[in-house]
Amino acid sequence: MTRTLHLAEQLIARPSVTPEDAGCLDLLAERLAPLGFALERMDSGPDSFRVSNLWAKRPAAQAAQGQAAIKTIVFAGHTDVVPTGPQEQWSSAPFTPTHRNGRLYGRGASDMKTSIAAFVVAVEEFLAATPDPRIAIALLLTSDEEGPSVDGTKIVVEQLKARGEPLDWCIVGEPTSVRQTGDMVKNGRRGTLSGRLTVRGIQGHIAYPQLARNPIHQAVPALAELAATVWDQGNAYFPPTSWQMSNIHGGTGATNVIPGTVVIDFNFRFSTESTAASLKQRVHALLDRHGLEYDLVWTLGGEPFLTQPGELLDAVQAAIADETGLTTELSTTGGTSDGRFIAQICPQVIEVGPPNATIHKIDEHIVVADIEPLKNIYRRTLEQLNAKAAA
């Protein structure tokens, strides 16, 4: 058994359903402390939803202090996992690491405890071969990514920003690959902007519509126009911005009552061609043009971010090619990640991880043959970046 696989199994065995950490960070801290990492817990949140956060940083070698600027690479990830779902539907206990047919089964196997194990072992191997690196190395780990994401990475980023701690490169270990580790890297993510629209009418008897005003009837033309609107064309890295309704709530439960309100939940996944402000302005203008009486509450879940080709992408793509022979595909598809917070203080943020076919599913698993290549990609990336810093 490799050290990466063993550590992954140790993490999977801890039932860290969000926001629980279940001792994962303590285990990882025990591995990082002997390597010279300064360990800082930044736990946050109320007692009823306490979030565990770890910021661990190892400075560059003393010989590098004469450099104009020491650069820092951050490995970011989350120890929390989503609930298991019905445990009787699992082929094996979700928090008992189990091997079948060359696969490692367990909640968090793909999302993303194996990536965290690969981070740590990659750093151990890199430092064993390069005890005096020219770059600083950090890990940012949280137990609040699968939940509200309020007291996790967001809090750590705010504290790092407040004290002016510079970050240069960040690799988030989200499961980004499709068929084989390394075949896809996320070099950005779309922004997410949600709205709850309440359209007001006048409640009344359905047989006397002239004495009422049906908010559902009033809202439908505006909703149809919102659904048909082209918000932008996207760009070379992002698909066009999309607008989708997720819920409509209207009615009193009776079939003979015109309701007084209808509530619509919707969401934008938006590219860098649009901004949250511009999307809000366009929606309000459209609703006003339709003459609706309404309230609209907005929630900005995250701004889009994009990492253009540069030092980090060059290093990761070279590492993937050297390790697997693959030419990796760049993508910005999928949901959000904690990269949206880190991008506020770090100019180059990408996501690199194992295949994502089974994440959040019953019988989540990872192919064991994908684990060592993932660790080696992380280690090779450190080697590439360090060599460039030393040049």
Side-chain angles (χ1 to χ4, degrees), residues 26 31 43:
D26 290 338
R31 299 284 289 260
D43 298 358

Side-chain angles (χ1 to χ4, degrees), residues 95 132 141 148 166-167 191 236 260 285 320 349 383:
F95 295 110
D132 297 315
L141 304 172
L167 307 179
I320 291 171
V349 179
E383 293 167 352

Side-chain angles (χ1 to χ4, degrees), residues 247-272:
N247 289 286
I248 298 180
H249 310 274
T252 64
T255 60
N256 61 349
V257 178
I258 293 172
T261 60
V262 62
V263 179
I264 300 99
D265 295 317
F266 64 82
N267 176 265
F268 282 105
R269 293 300 166 106
F270 63 103
S271 75
T272 50

